Amino acid sequence: MFFDGYHYHGTTFEQSYRCYPASFIDKPQIENGDKIIMPPSALDRLASLHIDYPMLFELRNAGSERVSHCGVLEFIAEEGMIYMPYWMMQNLLLQEGDIVRVRNVTLPKGTYVKLQPHTTDFLDISNPKAILETTLRNYSCLTTGDSIMVPYNNKKYFIDIVETKPANGISIIETDCEVDFAPPLDYKEPERPAPPAAAKTLAKAEEVVAEPEPKFNPFTGSGRRLDGRPLSYEPPAAASSSSSSKDKQPAVANGNGQSSGSERAARQAQGKLVFGANANRAPKEAPKVGAGKETKKEEEEKKEESKFQAFTGKKYSLRG
């Protein structure tokens, strides 16, 4: 079927055009959306077909097999030509004057879309969600693999369409669509600070098995006499932790019926306090304090008796 010199197939609109950027027609506003400008003959053909509104089209670059989707803004282009946003030409790998295939399609309403900014600068915007919602009002559909342009504050931010549901191409006109964000392409995980040397040393110290603490041994010091005189024997050295652990084991009598040191210590006289004594050895009998004093007194008395003796002279009678 031929219509104004153009070949159309049945009830589907499909035509090839030469594409040019919006700067060729002095329509800079189309750079902020996804709508193209088509010739009037396309409108006449579309009006005669039973198509769904709003009008959505598939753009295909046969040379690179790149596919995208768009809407239409006006039908004022010259015959055989269409004008489209420059970012859309970049997605399709098209140059000025290249051939692009245009076909009308019906896209499902989108339920989910995942976006990925090219740079982290987009996240520095005070309210990126509001900016994105305002920008997407100029879009009629989204295609997986495309990169859309978001203008803000005299700067252009490019965002990749990573995923769309329920299809690779979705309509976002009058639909409630869930939006998710992936980390920006230039995002880097912050490096964790290396632990200081002191922390490493502490960690190694914790790994080392703690040495057993020495057990408490009572009465291991040297003894002193109450009268201040020196001891008549040297106190034994303090027992080591290994010997003290052995001392705590119950004593067993040998075959000759001789008792161990602990049994001898148990038979010490009650009421007697011994300083510096070893429980494993039989206590030596300390010299009695009272007996020593009595011995000294007797010696002094003998000396006095030898020095002075009363009535030791010759006897004389009064009778003469």
Side-chain angles (χ1 to χ4, degrees):
M1 181 180 179
F2 293 88
F3 185 83
D4 276 348
Y6 294 95
H7 184 211
Y8 298 98
H9 302 280
T11 59
T12 302
F13 175 85
E14 186 172 358
Q15 183 63 38
S16 295
Y17 296 97
R18 293 192 178 273
C19 63
Y20 294 92
S23 58
F24 276 52
I25 197 175
D26 196 19
K27 292 281 186 180
Q29 65 269 21
I30 68 173
E31 290 288 345
N32 299 332
D34 66 338
K35 296 178 176 60
I36 63 175
I37 297 177
M38 301 179 69
S41 59
L43 176 60
D44 296 337
R45 173 58 182 162
L46 290 168
S48 64
L49 299 175
H50 299 285
I51 61 174
D52 296 330
Y53 290 87
M55 296 180 186
L56 299 177
F57 300 92
E58 175 190 273
L59 304 178
R60 180 181 295 270
N61 182 359
S64 62
E65 293 298 326
R66 298 295 293 267
V67 177
S68 185
H69 298 88
C70 66
V72 60
L73 180 65
E74 294 179 292
F75 294 91
I76 59 173
E78 294 85 352
E79 293 298 331
M81 300 171 56
I82 61 170
Y83 299 96
M84 62 175 61
Y86 184 68
W87 62 264
M88 189 177 292
M89 294 180 62
Q90 290 178 321
N91 286 336
L92 294 171
L93 304 179
L94 293 172
Q95 300 295 328
E96 300 172 1
D98 287 349
I99 301 297
V100 60
R101 193 74 176 173
V102 181
R103 182 171 66 93
N104 74 297
V105 292
T106 300
L107 299 178
K109 290 185 178 294
T111 58
Y112 173 82
V113 60
K114 188 174 185 179
L115 308 177
Q116 185 177 32
H118 283 198
T119 61
T120 54
D121 296 342
F122 181 75
L123 303 180
D124 296 335
I125 300 175
S126 59
N127 193 352
K129 182 180 178 182
I131 300 301
L132 188 62
E133 289 178 353
T134 303
T135 302
L136 290 180
R137 290 174 186 170
N138 299 323
Y139 285 75
S140 55
C141 54
L142 296 175
T143 306
T144 301
D146 280 359
S147 294
I148 62 175
M149 190 269 295
V150 178
Y152 176 73
N153 199 17
N154 297 327
K155 190 174 182 180
K156 296 179 180 180
Y157 300 92
F158 290 91
I159 300 177
D160 290 342
I161 310 299
V162 179
E163 184 181 0
T164 57
K165 294 180 181 180
N168 289 336
I170 58 173
S171 171
I172 59 173
I173 298 174
E174 297 180 357
T175 181
D176 187 8
C177 187
E178 179 185 355
V179 179
D180 191 13
F181 282 91
L185 294 177
D186 63 346
Y187 176 76
K188 294 182 180 180
E189 290 287 342
E191 297 181 358
R192 296 181 179 179
K200 291 183 179 179
T201 306
L202 182 60
K204 291 181 179 179
E206 291 177 353
E207 294 178 358
V208 177
V209 180
E211 298 181 357
E213 296 182 358
K215 297 182 179 180
F216 173 70
N217 296 322
F219 304 110
T220 55
S222 60
R224 294 178 180 273
R225 289 172 58 102
L226 296 177
D227 56 0
R229 295 184 180 182
L231 296 175
S232 59
Y233 67 95
E234 290 295 331
S240 62
S241 58
S242 59
S243 62
S244 62
S245 61
K246 294 180 180 179
D247 295 341
K248 294 182 179 180
Q249 298 178 356
V252 180
N254 56 20
N256 298 330
Q258 296 179 356
S259 60
S260 62
S262 61
E263 292 179 352
R264 291 195 300 269
R267 291 199 300 269
Q268 290 180 355
Q270 296 182 359
K272 184 180 293 184
L273 182 62
V274 180
F275 291 89
N278 194 341
N280 294 334
R281 297 178 56 186
K284 297 181 179 180
E285 293 185 0
K288 295 182 180 180
V289 179
K293 290 183 178 180
E294 292 177 358
T295 305
K296 287 185 178 182
K297 287 182 179 180
E298 292 177 358
E299 292 178 356
E300 290 176 359
E301 288 178 358
K302 289 180 180 180
K303 289 180 180 180
E304 289 177 359
E305 289 178 358
S306 61
K307 291 180 181 180
F308 175 72
Q309 295 181 0
F311 304 107
T312 56
K314 298 180 179 182
K315 293 189 293 182
Y316 291 94
S317 174
L318 295 177
R319 295 177 182 178

